[in-house]
Amino acid sequence: MSYLLLAVGLLVLLFGGKFLVDGASSIASRLGLSPGLIGLTIVAFGTSAPELLVSVTAALKGSSDIAIGNVVGSNISNITLVLGISVLIFPIYIEKSTLRLDYPFTLISSLLFFVFAFNGLISFVEGMVLLFCFVALNWYFFKTIERVEFSEADAEAMKKQPVWLAILQLAGGAAGLYFGSDLVVENGTQIAQALGISERIIGVTIIAIGTSLPELVTSVLAAIKKETALALGNILGSNIMNVFSIIGFTAVIKPIPVTPDFIYSDFIWMLGFTLLLFPFMRINYLISRVNGAVLLVGYGIYLYLLIA
């Protein structure tokens, strides 16, 4: 039953995030917000909402390993699983702005996450620093480069949607995120206890992959359409925001203890995969299918060593 409820919780999270985005985007369009602003704020928040609610709920319930594992595991699976599958579908050509902006910020956020966690606790002050980075980075991106994931056509379609439906989607999405996160944390903890494995392993595998499904779907669809810049931008942007917004917000609500297993294992893998991306992107400005296969094999090795 716990497995079934965990699966239900993940599905509720996914649909909750979608309904929240649809309802909020419709209301924002009626209020005259630009597609660019909607994409940077509402859409970006909506795709990260499952991870955010799971980490906050886990921290409040004392399951800090799930809170940390959810983010570390999501960042690892985004780079290896999501990116690997995407480039197997269609190779990703690298824009210079990605090497100049997106990748450095991805690496900086991961390093900052590791440094803050190294003493065994991500404190309230460190959470505030991460949230400041989140706000400053979004402001910088919005002022300097156009990152539109929400088109004029989408905005017009949203305006035609009945107001009552938008409010219903918004409320339903928020409720779905709340109850879905509770189901995921509660049943993930029960499964870990029943199998005699740690909450850390459940967090970095099942829960992390489950909450990364929005990024996987978005990136795969972008790869099928050969919109490679969107696929890579979605992955790198998600990793940045997972650290700055999710860990930042969670630590502000309740400081997060970090066990040594994370520091000397999972964080090293996360940083290693992030560093591996640079030569893949820099050589010929292309992430090839061979690179994608290497990333997937690397993820398989990580899971094997984790579970063995």
Side-chain angles (χ1 to χ4, degrees):
M1 184 59 71
S2 292
Y3 290 99
L4 178 60
L5 290 175
L6 176 63
V8 169
L10 289 170
L11 284 174
V12 171
L13 277 176
L14 294 177
F15 283 107
K18 183 183 185 306
F19 289 151
L20 184 75
V21 167
D22 289 347
S25 298
S26 178
I27 293 170
S29 295
R30 287 176 176 275
L31 294 174
L33 270 68
S34 69
L37 184 57
I38 293 172
L40 272 172
T41 54
I42 295 168
V43 175
F45 173 78
T47 56
S48 294
E51 287 100 327
L52 174 61
L53 267 291
V54 166
S55 288
V56 170
T57 302
L60 290 175
K61 289 190 172 187
S63 300
S64 59
D65 280 3
I66 289 181
I68 292 289
N70 175 41
V71 173
V72 176
S74 288
N75 281 13
I76 291 173
S77 63
N78 280 345
I79 292 174
T80 54
L81 183 66
V82 177
L83 184 58
I85 292 173
S86 298
V87 297
L88 284 181
I89 295 170
F90 192 79
I92 293 180
Y93 293 91
I94 307 302
E95 298 177 355
K96 289 186 178 180
S97 62
T98 301
L99 281 171
R100 192 175 67 252
L101 292 173
D102 298 65
Y103 178 75
F105 282 122
T106 302
L107 182 59
I108 289 168
S109 66
S110 296
L111 286 170
L112 199 59
F113 189 14
F114 178 66
V115 170
F116 283 174
F118 195 76
N119 67 347
L121 182 73
I122 301 178
S123 67
F124 172 84
V125 173
E126 290 165 340
M128 290 297 294
V129 171
L130 293 175
L131 280 181
F132 173 79
C133 291
F134 168 67
V135 173
L137 186 59
N138 273 282
W139 179 86
Y140 175 72
F141 277 154
F142 189 71
K143 289 291 184 181
T144 56
I145 56 177
E146 187 177 8
R147 301 168 70 86
V148 178
E149 296 176 13
F150 192 85
S151 67
E152 291 283 356
D154 291 332
E156 287 302 317
M158 287 294 183
K159 285 181 183 178
K160 296 176 183 178
Q161 185 173 286
V163 176
W164 66 266
L165 180 58
I167 295 173
L168 185 63
Q169 286 177 324
L170 188 63
L177 288 170
Y178 174 78
F179 290 110
S181 63
D182 193 60
L183 281 172
V184 166
V185 173
E186 189 70 30
N187 290 283
T189 303
Q190 288 180 11
I191 290 170
Q193 292 172 347
L195 295 178
I197 60 177
S198 67
E199 291 181 0
R200 162 183 161 254
I201 292 178
I202 291 290
V204 298
T205 55
I206 297 172
I207 294 175
I209 294 171
T211 55
S212 290
L213 286 178
E215 287 84 359
L216 177 60
V217 171
T218 302
S219 295
V220 167
L221 290 176
I224 291 172
K225 296 177 184 177
K226 299 181 180 179
E227 296 174 348
T228 56
L230 176 58
L232 183 59
N234 174 58
I235 291 163
L236 296 180
S238 175
N239 279 23
I240 296 168
M241 296 313 160
N242 279 350
V243 175
F244 286 160
S245 64
I246 295 170
I247 293 299
F249 192 71
T250 304
V252 166
I253 293 176
K254 184 176 182 180
I256 315 170
V258 184
T259 58
D261 285 338
F262 279 115
I263 296 168
Y264 298 109
S265 176
D266 304 296
F267 273 99
I268 303 302
W269 282 95
M270 181 183 72
L271 290 170
F273 285 130
T274 304
L275 290 168
L276 184 61
L277 270 187
F278 183 75
F280 285 177
M281 293 191 298
R282 186 62 183 82
I283 297 173
N284 298 322
Y285 291 95
L286 174 74
I287 303 179
S288 66
R289 288 189 172 93
V290 173
N291 298 149
V294 170
L295 291 172
L296 288 172
V297 169
Y299 188 57
I301 293 171
Y302 165 68
L303 291 180
Y304 174 78
L305 293 175
L306 182 70
I307 298 170

